[in-house]
Amino acid sequence: MKIAIPTETQHGESRVAASPDTVKAFIKKGADVAVEASAGKGASIPDEAFAAAGARIVQGGFGDADVVLTVRRPSGELLSSLKRGTLLIGGLEPYGDKAGLDAIAAAGVTAFAMELMPRITRAQSMDILSSQANLAGYKAVIDAAFHFTRAFPMMMTAAGTVPAAKVFIMGVGVAGLQAIATARRLGAIVSATDVRKATEEQVKSLGAKFVYADIADAATSGGYARELSAEDKARQAALVANHVKTQDVIITTALIPGRPAPVLITQEMVESMKPGSIIVDLAVERGGNCPLSKPDQIVEHKGVKIVGTVNLAGKLAGNAAPLFARNLANFLDLMIQKDGSLKIDDADECIRGTMIARDGALVHPMFGA
């Protein structure tokens, strides 16, 4: 079994789909592992570390690979070089680009989009969305503190008292919970909101105030939030608009895979905030939770800065890459047999749920099977 880890080619992507630890684990299972030269540079993993773990350092040329692991969808050049039946595993960005999916299918690879991992207990160790969102939530607060022109914690000085910053987290998923914890550690007064009533206990357990309108619980069986009714939307918006006026920092995290990001902070809400306030929009890659945010830009509107960094987890590649790599390794373990061969178990929920292409065709029901 030959496993290949190419260098990521997408602009701004600093992560890599393997770590020295996962390379060692693959080799123990009898695999031959090839890592493209400088693949780990952005994550501070030198070629020497991969070589010490037992990998071969190569200059491309993955046509004989049985498995290719990637962080992002591979380039057309790499796709066309792979043999038919190669397992392509990674973040393949399946939503919103049918032509790109068709290209993957046409390459004849068996492709697994890890973003589609079922939200079940057994799949948690393979869930790239959760591992990366955790870091994104942390980084969002750190970036907000960097751009904020005042301190987060309350400080008592001989010249007077510095009040604690007020931080509002919108969306209490993995990223939101980490943002709450991080803002609390920095000494801020933290509040949070979500349309899923069940998140109240989690918010309060982290020492934050839960802000919730009297609406129907919007939680779905998959763990995401369904769209609110018009009446509930208006009620939630009114509550949020009143709360936003008093906040110094807002972190928005509402991002549902495959859908445009819902608008949580309107232009009117932004204009109600104090000059010097900060908004960090984690959903900017899918249109943003604030209509003023722009990908990889800092927009200043009437004294309020709106930070729209795409791929926040990638800014912490030294942590994000090893976690991502472990997610992929745990998934590949489902298909590695005791003799080192590969076997795809179509009955396995995690395998079936993530497979998007096989034998030259799209096979996932969401994308044309």
Side-chain angles (χ1 to χ4, degrees):
M1 175 178 58
K2 295 182 178 180
I3 300 175
I5 294 90
T7 299
E8 297 297 319
T9 57
Q10 184 164 320
H11 176 71
E13 183 53 73
S14 52
R15 293 170 292 179
V16 60
S19 69
D21 286 343
T22 61
V23 166
K24 288 178 184 178
F26 292 144
I27 290 174
K28 283 183 179 180
K29 292 178 171 64
D32 172 75
V33 181
V35 177
E36 189 167 7
S38 299
K41 182 178 180 180
S44 302
I45 306 174
D47 291 345
E48 292 79 8
F50 281 123
R56 292 185 294 111
I57 306 302
V58 300
Q59 298 288 342
F62 299 124
D64 63 344
D66 300 303
V67 180
V68 174
L69 304 179
T70 66
V71 175
R72 299 276 190 163
R73 184 187 295 176
S75 66
E77 181 181 359
L78 176 58
L79 268 177
S80 64
S81 73
L82 302 180
K83 66 183 181 183
R84 296 186 70 83
T86 297
L87 303 190
L88 175 63
I89 303 171
L92 302 185
E93 305 162 56
Y95 302 107
D97 183 5
K98 184 62 162 56
L101 294 185
D102 288 339
I104 290 174
V109 299
T110 301
F112 299 89
M114 296 293 285
E115 300 96 324
L116 302 176
M117 187 64 63
R119 297 178 70 85
I120 57 177
T121 301
R122 186 169 70 89
Q124 288 178 354
S125 67
M126 301 172 259
D127 187 354
I128 64 170
L129 296 181
S130 292
S131 72
Q132 304 304 289
N134 192 53
L135 290 169
Y138 164 82
K139 181 62 171 167
V141 175
I142 298 303
D143 284 0
F146 175 79
H147 291 290
F148 192 48
T149 58
R150 296 188 286 278
F152 264 41
M154 184 180 74
M155 299 181 186
M156 305 293 290
T157 78
T161 300
V162 174
K166 294 181 179 179
V167 177
F168 184 36
I169 313 298
M170 302 188 71
V172 188
V174 174
L177 288 170
Q178 184 57 247
I180 293 170
T182 303
R184 286 278 296 155
R185 285 194 290 267
L186 291 179
I189 298 171
V190 184
S191 57
T193 190
D194 198 289
V195 294
R196 298 164 297 176
K197 187 70 167 65
T199 60
E200 179 177 7
E201 183 178 346
Q202 295 171 305
V203 170
K204 290 182 175 179
S205 72
L206 292 172
K209 175 185 176 182
F210 190 57
V211 177
Y212 187 77
D214 183 19
I215 60 176
D217 190 352
T220 67
S221 58
Y224 293 109
R226 62 169 174 78
E227 187 172 357
L228 298 176
S229 67
E231 182 180 349
D232 281 348
K233 278 183 181 178
R235 192 172 295 158
Q236 179 75 358
L239 177 71
V240 168
N242 189 56
H243 190 66
V244 159
K245 297 176 184 178
T246 65
Q247 301 303 297
D248 299 303
V249 172
I250 298 176
I251 313 289
T252 68
T253 71
L255 183 62
I256 303 173
R259 301 182 190 176
V263 173
L264 303 182
I265 300 293
T266 64
Q267 180 173 326
E268 291 75 19
M269 292 181 191
V270 174
E271 292 172 356
S272 75
M273 298 176 71
K274 296 171 290 187
S277 299
I278 305 293
I279 297 171
V280 180
D281 189 345
L282 268 69
V284 68
E285 64 185 271
R286 296 200 66 83
N289 296 141
C290 176
L292 298 176
S293 62
K294 294 182 180 180
D296 283 331
Q297 292 186 37
I298 298 174
V299 176
E300 186 163 346
H301 183 78
K302 297 192 174 181
V304 177
K305 287 184 179 179
I306 304 149
V307 182
T309 306
V310 175
N311 187 18
L312 270 176
K315 304 300 181 185
L316 298 171
N319 296 124
L323 293 177
F324 194 103
R326 175 49 59 190
N327 291 147
L328 299 191
N330 289 339
F331 178 71
L332 185 56
D333 278 348
L334 299 178
M335 292 176 273
I336 299 178
Q337 306 302 296
K338 290 183 178 179
D339 63 359
S341 63
L342 291 166
K343 180 181 179 182
I344 297 174
D345 181 2
D346 294 315
D348 188 289
E349 187 175 0
C350 296
I351 291 174
R352 186 175 67 252
T354 55
M355 186 188 293
I356 59 171
R358 190 176 193 178
D359 298 329
L362 294 176
V363 297
H364 196 284
M366 290 178 64
F367 307 108

